Amino acid sequence: MDIVRQEAQVISIHHEDETPLAGVDYELTMVGADRPYQSGRTDTGGRVVFLPGTARQWRLRVFTEDGHGLDRHFELESEPVPQGQAGQGLADISKLVLGVGILLSGFGIAILFVGRNKP
């Protein structure tokens, strides 16, 4: 078994009242392909997660038990939008505080030595 971290696309599907469309069958197909790229059931959050590779044009078909569903074509951006990590701003502030602290410590030590060497 290999575990590799990759960038995935996440599609969230919901009812008109914004509740997740959970546990419904779907087929995800690259436009122009004969067979589905991926099929299965949405998760409890109503999500379909997939790794698109270089393909940009897709078709998503969703089938509900009551006969309703969804049939949409969509296109992905050429490059995924990078998502920032939570707390990144805090890390930058911590680095700044650490740098200022080191400088002040250096000045404090220098003042101590200068004060001791006075006759």
Side-chain angles (χ1 to χ4, degrees):
M1 176 171 79
D2 294 332
I3 299 175
V4 179
R5 183 180 177 128
Q6 296 182 9
E7 294 293 324
Q9 296 292 322
V10 179
I11 302 170
S12 297
I13 307 166
H14 50 82
H15 295 278
E16 289 181 11
D17 65 357
E18 299 299 320
T19 58
L21 195 57
V24 296
D25 292 324
Y26 72 88
E27 285 183 354
L28 183 65
T29 309
M30 288 183 272
V31 171
D34 296 334
R35 297 185 333 189
Y37 174 80
Q38 179 174 309
S39 61
R41 296 175 81 80
T42 59
D43 68 6
T44 56
R47 293 178 295 255
V48 173
V49 180
F50 69 105
L51 300 171
T54 57
R56 297 292 166 226
Q57 295 183 342
W58 296 89
R59 178 183 183 192
L60 177 66
R61 294 176 46 198
V62 179
F63 315 99
T64 60
E65 290 181 10
D66 62 2
H68 292 89
L70 172 77
D71 188 354
R72 293 263 172 89
H73 286 83
F74 63 95
E75 187 168 336
L76 299 175
E77 297 177 8
S78 59
E79 291 294 324
V81 177
Q83 299 294 321
Q85 294 179 347
Q88 182 63 34
L90 181 61
D92 293 340
I93 291 171
S94 297
K95 289 176 186 176
L96 177 65
V97 169
L98 178 64
V100 170
I102 290 171
L103 286 173
L104 290 176
S105 297
F107 285 127
I109 291 171
I111 289 173
L112 277 174
F113 282 120
V114 169
R116 283 188 177 178
N117 291 333
K118 285 187 178 179

